C-alpha cells in the first residue's frame, strides 16, 4: 500500500473517531443534565424531609434541641443504633386522639379549595383577555400581572388591613357614596381571608392559564361559530377543555401553598381562624413541641403529595391509552 493510501486510511479512521468521542461527550452531558435535578431534590427535599421525619419520631425534651434522642455520630455505631431504638410513632398516635388537628386539616383543605375556585373564577377572564389582546399589548399586561411580586408579600397583606378595617379605605369609600350607613365588618372574618388569598395568589393562576390560552388555535372557535355554535357554547366545548392543562397547573400552584398558609389567616382572619399552618406555628414556637409539629408537617406533606402523585399516574396512563 502506498504512503498516500495509508495516510488516507488514517484520516478516515480519525474522522470516524471524532463522531464517537462527540457521542460519548453528549451522553455524559445528557446524564449530568438529568442528575442535577435529582441532586437538587435530594439535597433540598429528601434530606430535610428525612430530618423532619426523624424528629417526628422523637420525644419532647427540655434541652437544646428540644427533643430526644439526638443522633450523635461521634458515639459510634452502637450509639446510633441505640438512638434508632428509642424512636416511636407516639406523636402520630397523639394526633389521631386530639380532634383539634383533624379540624385544622379539614378547615385548611376547605379554605384552600374555596380560595382556589375563587381565584380561578377571577383569574380565568384575566388570562383569557390577555391571550386575546393584541400581540403588542400582551407584554404590558403580563408585566402588570407580575408587578405585585416586586413588593414584599407581607407589606401587601398589611395593606389590606388598611383597606378592610372598619375605618379603612373601603368603608370610607362606600360611605362617601352613601351605599352603606355603617362600616362593614370584614376584618377578622373568612371573607377577609379569601380576599387576601385571591389577591396574593392570583398571578399563580393567571400565568399558567395565559401560557395555555396563548398557544391555543383560535381558528377552531371561528370554525365552530361558522357551523352555528353560539359563542358561549363554543367556549365550553372548545376553549375551556383545551385550557384544562393550564387550569390544573394554576389550581395546584394555588391550592398547595394555601393549605399551609399562615400569614394571611393570622393577619386578616384573626386569632380564631383554625388552619394547619397556625397550628404548626403554635406547636413549634409557642409550645416548643418540635416532635408533634414535625409529625403535623409530615402528615401535611403526605396529604398534599399523595393525591398529586396519583393524579399524575392517572394522567400518564390516560395519555398512554
Amino acid at each position: 500500500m502506498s504512503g498516500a493510501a495509508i495516510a488516507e486510511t488514517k484520516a478516515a479512521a480519525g474522522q470516524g473517531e471524532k463522531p464517537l468521542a462527540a457521542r460519548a461527550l453528549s451522553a455524559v452531558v445528557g446524564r449530568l443534565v438529568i442528575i442535577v435535578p435529582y441532586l437538587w431534590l435530594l439535597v433540598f427535599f429528601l434530606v430535610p424531609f428525612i430530618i423532619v421525619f426523624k424528629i417526628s419520631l422523637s420525644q419532647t425534651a427540655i434541652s437544646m434541641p428540644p427533643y430526644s434522642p439526638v443522633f450523635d455520630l461521634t458515639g459510634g455505631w452502637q450509639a446510633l443504633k441505640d438512638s434508632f431504638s428509642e424512636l416511636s410513632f407516639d406523636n402520630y398516635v397523639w394526633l389521631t386522639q386530639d380532634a383539634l388537628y383533624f379540624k385544622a386539616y379539614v378547615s385548611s383543605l376547605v379554605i384552600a379549595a374555596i380560595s382556589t375556585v375563587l381565584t380561578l373564577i377571577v383569574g380565568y377572564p384575566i388570562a383569557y383577555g390577555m391571550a386575546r389582546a393584541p400581540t403588542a399589548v400582551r407584554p404590558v399586561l403580563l408585566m402588570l400581572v407580575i408587578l405585585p411580586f416586586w413588593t414584599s408579600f407581607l407589606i401587601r397583606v398589611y395593606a389590606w388591613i388598611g383597606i378592610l378595617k372598619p375605618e379603612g379605605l373601603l368603608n370610607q369609600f362606600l360611605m362617601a357614596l352613601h351605599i352603606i350607613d355603617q362600616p362593614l365588618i370584614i376584618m377578622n372574618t373568612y371573607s377577609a381571608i379569601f380576599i387576601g388569598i385571591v389577591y396574593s395568589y392570583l398571578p399563580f393562576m393567571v400565568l399558567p392559564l395565559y401560557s395555555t390560552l396563548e398557544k391555543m388555535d383560535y381558528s377552531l372557535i371561528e370554525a365552530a361559530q361558522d357551523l352555528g355554535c353560539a359563542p358561549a357554547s363554543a367556549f365550553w366545548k372548545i376553549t375551556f377543555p383545551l385550557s384544562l392543562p393550564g387550569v390544573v397547573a394554576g389550581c395546584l400552584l394555588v391550592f398547595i401553598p394555601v393549605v399551609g398558609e399562615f400569614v394571611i389567616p393570622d393577619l386578616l382572619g384573626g386569632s380564631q381562624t383554625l388552619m394547619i399552618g397556625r397550628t404548626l406555628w403554635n406547636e413549634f414556637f409557642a409550645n416548643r413541641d418540635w416532635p408533634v409539629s414535625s409529625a403535623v408537617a409530615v402528615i401535611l406533606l403526605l396529604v398534599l403529595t399523595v393525591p398529586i402523585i396519583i393524579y399524575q399516574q392517572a394522567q400518564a396512563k390516560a395519555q398512554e391509552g
Side-chain angles (χ1 to χ4, degrees), residues 252-269:
L252 290 177
L253 288 174
V254 173
F255 180 82
I256 292 174
V258 170
V259 172
E261 180 61 53
F262 167 71
V263 175
I264 295 175
D266 186 58
L267 295 180
L268 300 182

Side-chain angles (χ1 to χ4, degrees), residues 95-174:
L95 294 182
T96 61
Q97 296 175 348
D98 194 336
L100 172 67
Y101 301 102
F102 178 77
K103 293 179 180 178
Y105 281 116
V106 173
S107 177
S108 299
L109 293 174
V110 171
I111 291 175
I114 296 175
S115 301
T116 302
V117 172
L118 294 176
T119 308
L120 177 61
I121 293 174
V122 176
Y124 200 102
I126 297 175
Y128 186 80
M130 291 171 58
R132 297 303 301 267
T135 306
V137 182
R138 292 177 187 176
V140 178
L141 298 176
L142 188 62
M143 179 61 67
L144 292 177
V145 173
I146 301 175
L147 195 61
F149 285 113
W150 294 7
T151 307
S152 170
F153 173 77
L154 191 60
I155 293 176
R156 286 186 279 132
V157 175
Y158 267 112
W160 276 104
I161 297 177
I163 296 173
L164 299 178
K165 63 183 180 180
E167 63 276 11
L169 296 176
L170 178 61
N171 281 312
Q172 291 182 11
F173 178 73
L174 295 177

Side-chain angles (χ1 to χ4, degrees), residues 43-96:
V43 175
F44 294 102
F45 176 77
L46 185 59
V47 173
F49 175 77
I50 292 174
I51 294 174
V52 172
F53 180 68
K54 180 267 166 187
I55 296 175
S56 69
L57 301 178
S58 304
Q59 302 298 324
T60 306
I62 304 177
S63 60
M64 183 56 66
Y67 62 87
S68 64
V70 178
F71 286 161
D72 186 10
L73 299 179
T74 61
W77 172 252
Q78 186 61 39
L80 190 63
K81 186 177 179 181
D82 294 340
S83 298
F84 273 107
S85 63
E86 297 180 23
L87 300 178
S88 67
F89 287 89
D90 293 343
N91 296 311
Y92 293 93
V93 176
W94 163 257
L95 294 182
T96 61

Side-chain angles (χ1 to χ4, degrees), residues 107 111 157-158 160-161 164-165 185-197 261-275 278:
S107 177
I111 291 175
V157 175
Y158 267 112
W160 276 104
I161 297 177
L164 299 178
K165 63 183 180 180
I185 305 300
I186 303 177
M187 280 295 299
N188 298 329
T189 63
Y190 284 104
S191 299
I193 296 176
F194 293 138
I195 291 173
I197 290 176
E261 180 61 53
F262 167 71
V263 175
I264 295 175
D266 186 58
L267 295 180
L268 300 182
S271 59
Q272 300 302 318
T273 304
L274 183 61
M275 289 190 70
R278 183 174 181 82

Side-chain angles (χ1 to χ4, degrees), residues 3-17:
I6 294 174
E8 290 179 359
T9 303
K10 291 183 177 180
Q15 291 177 357
E17 291 176 358

